[in-house]
C-alpha cells in the first residue's frame, strides 16, 4: 500500500521503534522515584526534553510533556479562562483544529471571537490587527501554524509580533508545521502545541511549550508542577529520536513540493473542473486538498484503497461526524462541495514515483466509478 494520509499520522521509523522498545525494556523506572532506576530515568527524561527543545529552538525549561496537541490546546485555554480576568476575550481563527475551537467555545463562550479566513484559506492579517485595536479586552489569540486539511501556512510569526507588542498571550497550534518545516521563530509564541505522531513519533505523547505559572493537571506535581501524572519515558524518548530524524530531513523536504506540484498538474489535466484548495498561497510541501468534480470523497477513498493507495477525506477528527469539516466552509465552500474533498498528504517515505502512480490510480478509480454508475442506471432506470 502507498500511504498518503500523513497529516493524520505518520509511520514511526525503525530507529524510533527501537528507541521505544529499548526504553520500555531498560528504562521502566518511575522518574519521580528516589531509587537508582528512577533517578536514571529522570536524567534520561530531561536529556530527551533538551533534545526536543533544541530541535524546536525553544527553551527546555518551558517544555511540558502531554498526551499530545489536543491536551496541550485544551490546557492552555482552560488556563487562560481561569487565570485571566473574567472579562478577558479570545480571538481564534475559523480554521483551527477542533481541539482549539471546542475549548475556545467551552471556556470563553461569547467572549471568544472567530476570525474569518480569505477564500485562499489564509487569515487576513490586517483584519487581525484591526480587531486587536478595536475589540477591547482581548488577552488571548490562537492561530495554527499550518492547516491540517489544506496545508495552507498562516502568518503566525506576524500575529505573534502583533500580540507581543500588545502584551496579549499568543498560542500557536504548530502540530502540522513541526517536522515538515524549520522551527525557527517559535520562541516568539507565548505557548505552542505539538504531537509526536505527526513527525514520525508514537501516538499519545506531545508537548506544550509555555511558562504557564499554574498547574493544569493537579495531583503528583510532575513536570515542574505543571502536569501531574507519571511521565511516559519510552514515548518521550521515541519522540526525541523522531525529532532528531526529522531535523536531518528538514533541509530536503521543501524541495519535494515539486513532486506534489507535478501530481496536481497532471490531475488538473485529467480531471476537468478539479479545484485545489489553497493552491495560490504558500502551503506545506506534502499536502494537496482536491475538490473532485464528481463523486463523493468516500467513494474515491474506497476505490483508491482497493488500488493500493491510502488517502483521506480531511481531518481524521471530523470523520464519522455528519457535519462537514469547518475548514472548507470557512473558506467559502458549500457542504455539498465539502463532501467531494480528498486530502493527500505525504511525508518522509513517499517518493516522486508514488505521487505519479497515485495520479494514475485516481484515473483508474474514476473509470471504475463511471462504470459503476452507468451499470447502476441500467439496473434502476
Ligand atoms: N491540531 C492539529 C492542527 C492537528 O492536525 C491535530 C491532529 N489531527 C491536533 C491538533 C490534535 O492532535 P492529537 O490528536 O495528536 O492530540
Amino acid at each position: 500500500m502507498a500511504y498518503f494520509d500523513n497529516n493524520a499520522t505518520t509511520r514511526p521509523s525503525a530507529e524510533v521503534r527501537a528507541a521505544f522498545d529499548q526504553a520500555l525494556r531498560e528504562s521502566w523506572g518511575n522518574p519521580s522515584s528516589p531509587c537508582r532506576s528512577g533517578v536514571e530515568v529522570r536524567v534520561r527524561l530531561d536529556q530527551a526534553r533538551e533534545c526536543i527543545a533544541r530541535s524546536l529552538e525553544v527553551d527546555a525549561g518551558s517544555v511540558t510533556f502531554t498526551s499530545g496537541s489536543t491536551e496541550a490546546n485544551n490546557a492552555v485555554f482552560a488556563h487562560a479562562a481561569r487565570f485571566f480576568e473574567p472579562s478577558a476575550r479570545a480571538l481564534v481563527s475559523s480554521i483551527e483544529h477542533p481541539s482549539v475551537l471546542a475549548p475556545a467555545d467551552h471556556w470563553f463562550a461569547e467572549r471568544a471571537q472567530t476570525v474569518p479566513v480569505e477564500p485562499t484559506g489564509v487569515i487576513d492579517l490586517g483584519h487581525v490587527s484591526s480587531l486587536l485595536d478595536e475589540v477591547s479586552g482581548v488577552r488571548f489569540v490562537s492561530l495554527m501554524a499550518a492547516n491540517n486539511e489544506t496545508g495552507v501556512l498562516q502568518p503566525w510569526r506576524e500575529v505573534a509580533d502583533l500580540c507581543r507588542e500588545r502584551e496579549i498571550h499568543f498560542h500557536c497550534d504548530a502540530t502540522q508545521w513541526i517536522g515538515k518545516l524549520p522551527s525557527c521563530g517559535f520562541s516568539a509564541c507565548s505557548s505552542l502545541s505539538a504531537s509526536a505522531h505527526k513527525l514520525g513519533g508514537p501516538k499519545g505523547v506531545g508537548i506544550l511549550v509555555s511558562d504557564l505559572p499554574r498547574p493544569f493537571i493537579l495531583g503528583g506535581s510532575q513536570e515542574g508542577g505543571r502536569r501531574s501524572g507519571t511521565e511516559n519515558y519510552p514515548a518521550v524518548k521515541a519522540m526525541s529520536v523522531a525529532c532528531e530524524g526529522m531535523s536531518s530531513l528538514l533541509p530536503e523536504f521543501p524541495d519535494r513540493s515539486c513532486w506534489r506540484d507535478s501530481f496536481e498538474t497532471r490531475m488538473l489535466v485529467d480531471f476537468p473542473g478539479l479545484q485545489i484548495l489553497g493552491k495560490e498561497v504558500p502551503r506545506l510541501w506534502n499536502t494537496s486538498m482536491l475538490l473532485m468534480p464528481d463523486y463523493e470523497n468516500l467513494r474515491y477513498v474506497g476505490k483508491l484503497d482497493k488500488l493500493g493507495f491510502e488517502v483521506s477525506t480531511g481531518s481524521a477528527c471530523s470523520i464519522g461526524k455528519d457535519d462537514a469539516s469547518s475548514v472548507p466552509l470557512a473558506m467559502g465552500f458549500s457542504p455539498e462541495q465539502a463532501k467531494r474533498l480528498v486530502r493527500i498528504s505525504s511525508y518522509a517515505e513517499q517518493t516522486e514515483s508514488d505521487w505519479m502512480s497515485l495520479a494514475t490510480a485516481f484515473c483508474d478509480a474514476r473509470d471504475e466509478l463511471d462504470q459503476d454508475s452507468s451499470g447502476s442506471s441500467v439496473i434502476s432506470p
Side-chain angles (χ1 to χ4, degrees):
M1 287 297 268
Y3 179 74
F4 275 97
D5 193 17
N6 288 272
N7 287 7
T9 199
T10 54
R11 188 198 309 271
S13 66
E15 293 77 27
V16 168
R17 294 196 308 269
F20 188 89
D21 188 52
Q22 187 182 10
L24 205 55
R25 275 185 287 111
E26 295 172 9
S27 305
W28 44 265
N30 186 327
S32 300
S33 289
C35 57
R36 179 188 295 247
S37 57
V39 173
E40 277 172 7
V41 177
R42 155 72 40 209
V43 170
R44 291 194 181 132
L45 184 76
D46 286 332
Q47 284 168 347
R49 194 189 312 275
E50 293 277 351
C51 169
I52 292 167
R54 225 178 4 260
S55 58
L56 303 190
E57 302 187 22
V58 297
D59 175 24
S62 44
V63 172
T64 304
F65 291 115
T66 65
S67 62
S69 293
T70 299
E71 180 188 324
N73 290 337
N74 271 266
V76 81
F77 271 92
H79 189 276
R82 284 171 60 221
F83 297 117
F84 290 173
E85 64 276 10
S87 59
R89 299 184 68 81
L91 296 184
V92 294
S93 89
S94 55
I95 47 137
E96 294 298 303
H97 188 266
S99 61
V100 165
L101 291 176
D105 187 44
H106 177 82
W107 292 105
F108 283 85
E110 68 287 348
R111 290 184 290 121
Q113 185 163 340
T114 311
V115 187
V117 291
E118 305 272 338
T120 55
V122 185
I123 198 165
D124 177 352
L125 198 54
H127 190 54
V128 177
S129 170
S130 43
L131 280 175
L132 291 178
D133 291 336
E134 286 157 20
V135 180
S136 68
V138 175
R139 295 270 281 114
F140 187 91
V141 173
S142 189
L143 174 65
M144 66 195 341
N147 186 263
N148 45 308
E149 300 194 31
T150 59
V152 168
L153 308 184
Q154 300 300 321
W156 57 272
R157 292 190 179 92
E158 290 80 354
V159 175
D161 289 345
L162 289 174
C163 290
R164 202 177 40 243
E165 287 158 14
R166 295 164 174 80
E167 297 186 357
I168 292 171
H169 184 112
F170 174 64
H171 177 65
C172 185
D173 176 351
T175 311
Q176 294 290 344
W177 180 293
I178 290 176
K180 301 190 183 101
L181 292 174
S183 299
C184 46
F186 282 127
S187 56
C189 305
S190 320
S191 55
L192 171 81
S193 52
S195 271
H197 71 105
K198 306 290 186 182
L199 52 102
K203 277 159 262 304
V205 64
I207 50 167
L208 172 65
V209 183
S210 178
D211 292 323
L212 294 186
R214 317 254 174 113
F216 59 89
I217 294 193
L218 301 167
S221 298
Q222 286 91 344
E223 292 296 285
R226 287 193 280 254
R227 195 237 190 207
S228 295
T230 306
E231 291 96 339
N232 182 353
Y233 172 68
V236 166
K237 173 66 188 174
M239 180 178 184
S240 78
V241 172
C243 281
E244 281 174 332
M246 68 89 180
S247 299
S248 63
L249 285 170
L250 274 182
E252 70 178 72
F253 273 162
D255 292 341
R256 296 191 186 188
S257 61
C258 65
W259 302 349
R260 185 269 319 268
D261 294 345
S262 306
F263 162 81
E264 290 182 346
T265 305
R266 220 179 120 184
M267 290 292 289
L268 286 165
V269 171
D270 290 339
F271 288 81
L274 175 81
Q275 290 183 58
I276 297 167
L277 274 61
K279 187 167 172 53
E280 52 290 282
V281 290
R283 280 178 296 162
L284 291 173
W285 54 268
N286 76 322
T287 307
S288 182
M289 183 60 131
L290 309 172
L291 173 50
M292 303 306 292
D294 228 339
Y295 301 118
E296 280 202 3
N297 46 21
L298 284 173
R299 299 188 68 191
Y300 271 106
V301 172
K303 289 289 181 199
L304 287 165
D305 184 82
K306 291 204 182 91
L307 292 163
F309 294 83
E310 292 185 272
V311 301
S312 180
T313 56
S315 167
C317 306
S318 60
I319 290 165
K321 292 187 192 160
D322 286 340
D323 299 344
S325 154
S326 56
V327 175
L329 305 187
M331 292 169 71
F333 293 94
S334 68
E336 186 279 323
Q337 288 174 309
K339 288 198 178 131
R340 285 188 278 120
L341 288 169
V342 179
R343 182 184 68 185
I344 319 295
S345 51
S346 68
Y347 196 49
E349 70 193 59
Q350 290 70 35
T351 62
E352 183 175 14
S353 101
D354 289 334
W355 277 102
M356 285 299 113
S357 307
L358 177 62
T360 307
F362 259 102
C363 292
D364 294 344
R366 191 248 329 264
D367 291 347
E368 285 186 22
L369 289 168
D370 285 348
Q371 270 171 21
D372 291 354
S373 53
S374 62
S376 64
S377 66
V378 173
I379 295 161
S380 52

